[in-house]
Amino acid sequence: MDDPTTVAVPEADIQVGEFHDAEIEVDRARVSGALWSSNLVVVENTGNATTKVRLYVAPEAKDAPLKVSLRRSRLVLRPGEDARVSLITRVQNPMFTGAAANWQIVIRIAQEHAEDGAATFTHRQRALLPKAVLKALIALVGALVAFVVLWISPVGGKKPQAETESAKGPSQVQAVQEEQKKAAAAKKQEEKKAEEKKAQEEKKEKEAGALKKKDFQESLVADTKTGRPIAEYEVPKGYRLSVKSVQLTAVGPPTGIVVLKAGSTQLASFGVNNVKEVTVPATVSPKEKEKFALRLDCPAPPTGTPSTGPSPSGGPSTPAAPSAAPTSPTTCTATALITGELIPLSGPNAEEIKPTS
């Protein structure tokens, strides 16, 4: 090229000043929900300087039953930086049934050094029970009512039977009655066992504190020399004396008499030289405070009598001179060994008096 200056382009530095700008948009243009919904707001700094922005959100219609809230409302963005802010929409007046309603929600951005911007999205408010679900529910309730009516109403003009009888076995009512009878019998049996157990416990308690049968052995000694011609045993309180045997021994002149008594009944009377074992009848059983007694009667023996015999010379017999009678003791002693049982008059250990066979 002959003259390069003809195609030369002048060069210069251009100074670009600071400017602020931001854009706003929503993630979804329409959301829906019967009670609440969520969305995202995207804010981008398209300027060449750090900018401060503030977000405002509200339904477009003043009577909209919605409450909208932002997670953050103030942002500071560097050049080319963007931010995502979550947004929650809550329904303050839910619809139970009916058609859905659409509500516009406006999000406005306010900038410190630039013009404001705005973005919108739609919240579709659905009913809690959609038409399809409502129809199904109505059909279900109608079927349930029809089933109940058929169940409790007579069929074919016949009266409902109080009981149903199967092909085999008793009816339901009879089965219930049998169960009730079995339960009552079981309860009665349990009550009877409880009463028997209680009676046994009471019996044991009575036996623990009641009088018990005792073996009895006692010696009665009567002696006229010591001035005790009568020996007695008094039956203790609450008992009767069942005598099995009485063994008597006595010493004294033949004129002595031994008498044995049980209460007011005389059991035996022997001479001193003719005593023997006494068997007491079972019906004779002295009771409390009655006495079993041994008594001695010991009179003096009679004096000797004169005797006749032939004379030594062979002549007629002459009366012999009276001779003195041999002296005998005038004292008597008797012992009675009594064996038997002391039996309580009342209580669990008492026994009836058995008659003599």
Side-chain angles (χ1 to χ4, degrees), residues 73-87:
S73 60
R74 296 178 183 272
L75 302 172
V76 178
L77 301 175
R78 294 190 295 271
E81 185 181 10
D82 61 6
R84 294 174 176 267
V85 181
S86 62
L87 180 147

Side-chain angles (χ1 to χ4, degrees), residues 100-168:
N102 296 323
W103 305 99
Q104 292 292 327
I105 298 174
V106 180
I107 307 166
R108 187 169 56 87
I109 181 173
Q111 304 182 58
E112 186 176 1
H113 303 288
E115 294 182 358
D116 297 343
T120 61
F121 72 95
T122 302
H123 173 83
R124 185 175 178 83
Q125 182 184 0
R126 298 196 309 263
L128 293 173
L129 287 178
K131 289 184 179 180
V133 177
L134 183 61
K135 289 180 181 179
L137 183 61
I138 292 173
L140 180 62
V141 172
L144 182 61
V145 171
F147 176 77
V148 173
V149 171
L150 289 175
W151 179 265
I152 65 176
S153 64
V155 180
K158 296 181 180 180
K159 293 183 179 180
Q161 298 296 325
E163 61 183 35
T164 59
E165 188 170 347
S166 59
K168 295 181 180 179

Side-chain angles (χ1 to χ4, degrees), residues 147-222:
F147 176 77
V148 173
V149 171
L150 289 175
W151 179 265
I152 65 176
S153 64
V155 180
K158 296 181 180 180
K159 293 183 179 180
Q161 298 296 325
E163 61 183 35
T164 59
E165 188 170 347
S166 59
K168 295 181 180 179
S171 64
Q172 293 179 358
V173 173
Q174 291 175 348
V176 172
Q177 290 176 351
E178 289 295 330
E179 291 296 330
Q180 291 177 350
K181 288 181 181 179
K182 290 180 180 180
K187 184 178 181 181
K188 189 174 181 180
Q189 188 70 18
E190 290 179 359
E191 292 177 353
K192 185 177 179 181
K193 289 182 179 180
E195 290 177 358
E196 291 178 354
K197 185 177 180 181
K198 184 178 180 181
Q200 291 177 357
E201 292 177 354
E202 291 178 353
K203 183 178 179 181
K204 289 180 180 179
E205 291 179 357
K206 289 181 180 179
E207 290 178 353
L211 297 176
K212 296 181 181 180
K213 187 169 26 175
K214 301 178 182 179
D215 292 333
F216 176 80
Q217 183 173 345
E218 183 75 14
S219 293
L220 299 180
V221 179

Side-chain angles (χ1 to χ4, degrees), residues 270-307:
F270 301 103
V272 170
N273 296 331
N274 195 28
V275 296
K276 60 183 179 179
E277 184 176 348
V278 178
T279 301
V280 181
T283 53
V284 178
S285 181
K287 300 179 182 179
E288 58 180 3
K289 296 185 179 181
E290 293 182 350
K291 296 180 180 180
F292 200 95
L294 174 67
R295 191 186 69 201
L296 273 175
D297 292 330
C298 192
T303 59
T305 55
S307 60

